Amino acid sequence: MAPFIEIKDLTVRFGEVVALRNVNLVIEEGESVGILGRSGSGKSVLMHVLRGVESFQDISGSVIYHVARCSKCHHVEPPSHVGRSCKCGSTLEPFDADFVSLDINDPLRRDVVKRIAIMLQRTFALYGDERVIVNVMRAVEETGDTMSVHVAADLLDEVNLSHRLMHVARELSGGEKQRVVLARQLAKSPMILLADEPTGTLDPATARVVHDSIKRAVNDFKMTLIITSHWEDVMVELTQRAILLDQGEIKAEGKPKDVAAQFLAMAGTLAKREEVELGEPMIKANGLSKRYISIDRGVVKAVDEVSLEVNEGEIFGLVGISGGGKTTLSKMISGILTPTGGSISVRVGDEWVDMTVLGSNGRGRATKYIGILHQEYTLYPSRSVIENLTEAIGLSLPFELAERKAIHTLETVGFSEEQAEAVLEKMPHELSEGERHRVAMAQVLIKEPRIVVLDEPTGTMDAITKIEVTNSILNAREELGETFIIVSHDMDFVKNVCDRAMLMRNGRAIFTGLPDEVLSRITEEEEKEMLGS
């Protein structure tokens, strides 16, 4: 029997950049294959080629799906179904669909695409104001089919989300949204699931729940799985075989644990964190509180009488499990939220600004010197990198000065001078996820803030990119003298980059000190949730 997917000499170029180079890979029906590689290695490009809904201007080689197809109703099944009866009564016949040579609108290609499910990193694509169960039922609308409430409920059971079926989608957590996405894809009865870093933005404990749902669905629906991830345990637990991509080429192929070890060996080393002489206090908070009124829970103390002091030039971490209050605290520091109690002040020059006072004469004097990189950052998709770093954010400069400043800032976040020059004219979709993240950080730094707030900055990163970002933060502090507030559940990252950290639990500040001291105060349950142990 022919293999399910046969990739031969696949090459994809974007201008002068070769994203994939002579890739050869065979995937059998029912196999689970993992793809490892640093940012920019070509993982996402390969997944989009396999998905088949996009056309590529400069592509060669072949990506052949060997399938069983009904000539009468055009229903498609995996190759093992050749010779069996179709649901319409006709016989399923062997067909080959080459996604490189077939036009994007070719009926055969479109029939195969309908049976391919995909989960993308950072993309939920849900009807935000609809209930969860309605989101699942609407998944089949584009094919003209309808779904009963009972079938939708069964699919939510499949992804362990039956306790959320009446919730409005936009009110779900990231992990819950990703499981709704999986249920919506299962509604289409796929024969293959493409999962491109599906849990990249989630904390390890939540990611594990999603991974378990994927594993169960793959087994129950007898799907072929192709998944990209930078986590070794994902490769070991979810895949039977792994490949290592680097600079668009397959460098290794074999057992997931062996390939993961080769990938981690490519990570390189962290820059040595030099002793830094910190300045005077930059942020002061005393008895800071933020309370909400909830119909279900009454008064919620998101932040409960927290006091802290952060010095100029310091890299200060806020750590703790989800719901601990660290993100709410960071939003009060950056002026997004107004406290309901206590005080918080930020120093601008030699003057202290009361962040509880609204308006341009209040905290508006400080917020223009505070840069924020949210976990769910976005770049302007129709603007080039240099436009994203200048015009798109209201930075009006003569072109030569803008180019010089953009290159310098990109170097600060980890690009070499040559890489920075090459990336300026690219569009965001031409960048890898890690490159987009560093451009987004440059977008914050180019405005010359004095305080930078980073919310889960390593959430979507592989081990190699995480080291690059760690080095870029240390370099930005050294080159630009910035003060950083970092919200993170990644304790290895906090240990490597932060001077001090604060452990938060149930809205309260439990302990502030050196990262190692904070680590020693984390409970076993917190460690399991934060590190996914």
Side-chain angles (χ1 to χ4, degrees):
M1 182 187 299
F4 191 5
I5 306 170
E6 198 169 3
I7 302 171
K8 299 178 182 177
D9 299 325
L10 176 63
T11 299
V12 179
R13 291 182 174 86
F14 297 100
E16 298 297 319
V17 178
V18 182
L20 295 172
R21 187 193 306 274
N22 296 325
V23 172
N24 289 276
L25 182 65
V26 173
I27 298 171
E28 301 292 342
E29 180 180 339
E31 189 178 15
S32 294
V33 177
I35 303 175
L36 282 162
R38 69 180 83 194
S39 294
S41 64
K43 303 190 304 292
S44 292
V45 174
L46 178 57
M47 295 293 269
H48 283 278
V49 172
L50 289 169
R51 187 186 186 190
V53 299
E54 301 170 51
S55 59
F56 295 84
Q57 289 186 342
D58 196 347
I59 184 170
S60 60
S62 58
V63 176
I64 303 171
Y65 278 82
H66 300 285
V67 298
R69 180 175 181 252
C70 175
S71 299
K72 182 179 178 181
C73 72
H74 299 166
H75 180 66
V76 169
E77 290 286 352
S80 64
H81 289 242
V82 169
R84 298 185 190 179
S85 294
C86 177
K87 56 185 179 180
C88 74
S90 296
T91 301
L92 294 168
E93 303 171 7
F95 277 89
D96 293 341
D98 185 353
F99 279 10
V100 173
S101 62
L102 288 178
D103 182 77
I104 194 170
N105 293 314
D106 184 279
L108 174 56
R109 176 168 171 163
R110 293 178 67 178
D111 290 340
V112 175
V113 166
K114 288 178 185 176
R115 302 298 315 284
I116 300 174
I118 189 160
M119 297 174 68
L120 299 172
Q121 58 183 342
R122 301 172 44 79
T123 303
F124 298 126
L126 300 177
Y127 298 99
D129 294 325
E130 298 278 13
R131 297 187 187 277
V132 166
I133 195 162
V134 175
N135 264 274
V136 177
M137 293 171 67
R138 292 186 66 178
V140 297
E141 282 184 355
E142 61 190 45
T143 62
D145 293 334
T146 58
M147 176 182 291
S148 71
V149 172
H150 296 295
V151 172
D154 287 343
L155 291 172
L156 288 169
D157 281 341
E158 181 71 34
V159 298
N160 300 311
L161 211 59
S162 57
H163 61 298
R164 292 286 186 265
L165 59 88
M166 296 306 291
H167 277 232
V168 175
R170 59 180 164 77
E171 296 176 352
L172 300 177
S173 68
E176 290 169 340
K177 287 178 181 176
Q178 197 62 288
R179 280 183 281 161
V180 178
V181 170
L182 177 56
R184 281 175 52 84
Q185 295 299 316
L186 295 178
K188 303 172 186 178
S189 299
M191 56 186 183
I192 180 171
L193 174 62
L194 305 175
D196 186 12
E197 295 282 7
T199 54
T201 61
L202 307 179
D203 64 85
T206 306
R208 185 176 295 277
V209 176
V210 176
H211 293 150
D212 288 344
S213 296
I214 292 173
K215 185 176 182 178
R216 177 179 171 183
V218 167
N219 291 334
D220 290 351
F221 282 73
K222 296 180 172 56
M223 292 185 291
T224 300
L225 172 68
I226 304 174
I227 184 169
T228 69
S229 179
H230 57 266
W231 291 357
E232 178 186 2
D233 61 336
V234 175
M235 294 291 110
V236 173
E237 293 176 19
L238 296 187
T239 70
Q240 301 157 325
R241 179 166 57 107
I243 67 169
L244 174 59
L245 268 181
D246 189 43
Q247 296 183 333
E249 299 182 58
I250 294 180
K251 299 294 186 180
E253 182 177 348
K255 294 180 180 178
K257 194 170 187 66
D258 295 339
V259 175
Q262 288 181 257
F263 171 61
L264 292 174
M266 297 167 57
T269 58
L270 286 165
K272 188 176 185 297
R273 189 172 66 189
E274 303 292 341
E275 290 294 327
V276 175
E277 186 174 341
L278 303 178
E280 295 297 313
M282 194 82 170
I283 303 166
K284 289 182 179 179
N286 187 35
L288 195 65
S289 298
K290 183 65 179 179
R291 293 177 172 82
Y292 297 98
I293 304 297
S294 168
I295 295 175
D296 297 329
R297 299 162 59 195
V299 177
V300 178
K301 297 179 180 179
V303 173
D304 190 13
E305 297 190 359
V306 168
S307 298
L308 63 81
E309 192 170 281
V310 180
N311 295 313
E312 185 172 0
E314 187 170 17
I315 302 176
F316 190 89
L318 298 176
V319 303
I321 63 173
S322 296
K326 55 189 187 296
T327 296
T328 302
L329 176 58
S330 74
K331 288 181 177 180
M332 287 191 285
I333 292 172
S334 37
I336 296 174
L337 292 177
T338 301
T340 50
S343 65
I344 179 166
S345 300
V346 170
R347 181 166 60 83
V348 177
D350 293 326
E351 297 184 15
W352 285 93
V353 176
D354 187 344
M355 300 297 282
T356 66
V357 178
L358 302 178
S360 58
N361 292 323
R363 67 183 180 216
R365 295 170 57 205
T367 53
K368 59 187 176 183
Y369 298 109
I370 300 174
I372 308 166
L373 182 60
H374 299 284
Q375 182 178 1
E376 294 297 320
Y377 66 87
T378 54
L379 297 175
Y380 294 93
S382 59
R383 303 287 191 96
S384 66
V385 167
I386 191 167
E387 288 172 337
N388 264 281
L389 295 179
T390 53
E391 299 169 24
I393 57 173
L395 192 63
S396 181
L397 296 170
F399 179 78
E400 288 162 352
L401 180 58
E403 186 177 56
R404 177 176 176 176
K405 188 170 181 61
I407 290 173
H408 178 262
T409 310
L410 288 169
E411 287 182 78
T412 301
V413 298
F415 290 92
S416 67
E417 183 176 358
E418 295 76 15
Q419 290 171 331
E421 291 174 352
V423 85
L424 285 180
E425 299 304 321
K426 287 187 176 181
M427 305 299 286
H429 73 270
E430 297 178 283
L431 306 177
S432 69
E433 179 67 17
E435 289 169 335
R436 283 194 293 271
H437 191 285
R438 281 179 280 164
V439 170
M441 188 183 292
Q443 196 178 55
V444 173
L445 294 177
I446 202 167
K447 295 180 180 179
E448 303 180 358
R450 300 307 304 270
I451 298 171
V452 180
V453 179
L454 304 178
D455 188 7
E456 299 290 1
T458 61
T460 63
M461 293 178 180
D462 57 49
I464 296 171
T465 308
K466 193 181 296 186
I467 288 176
E468 292 172 350
V469 170
T470 299
N471 293 339
S472 72
I473 292 171
L474 294 172
N475 188 61
R477 190 251 297 270
E478 182 179 350
E479 294 288 325
L480 308 175
E482 313 287 24
T483 301
F484 286 88
I485 303 294
I486 296 178
V487 177
S488 182
H489 65 262
D490 186 337
M491 289 309 300
D492 284 336
F493 172 71
V494 170
K495 182 178 178 180
N496 288 326
V497 79
C498 292
D499 301 302
R500 289 188 301 148
M502 173 189 284
L503 172 62
M504 297 194 68
R505 186 182 298 151
N506 298 322
R508 300 186 67 87
I510 301 302
F511 179 78
T512 301
L514 298 174
D516 282 335
E517 295 174 327
V518 173
L519 277 169
S520 68
R521 304 295 181 103
I522 293 174
T523 67
E524 185 176 342
E525 290 75 18
E526 288 173 325
E527 183 178 359
K528 286 180 179 179
E529 182 164 339
M530 291 167 65
L531 305 180
S533 300

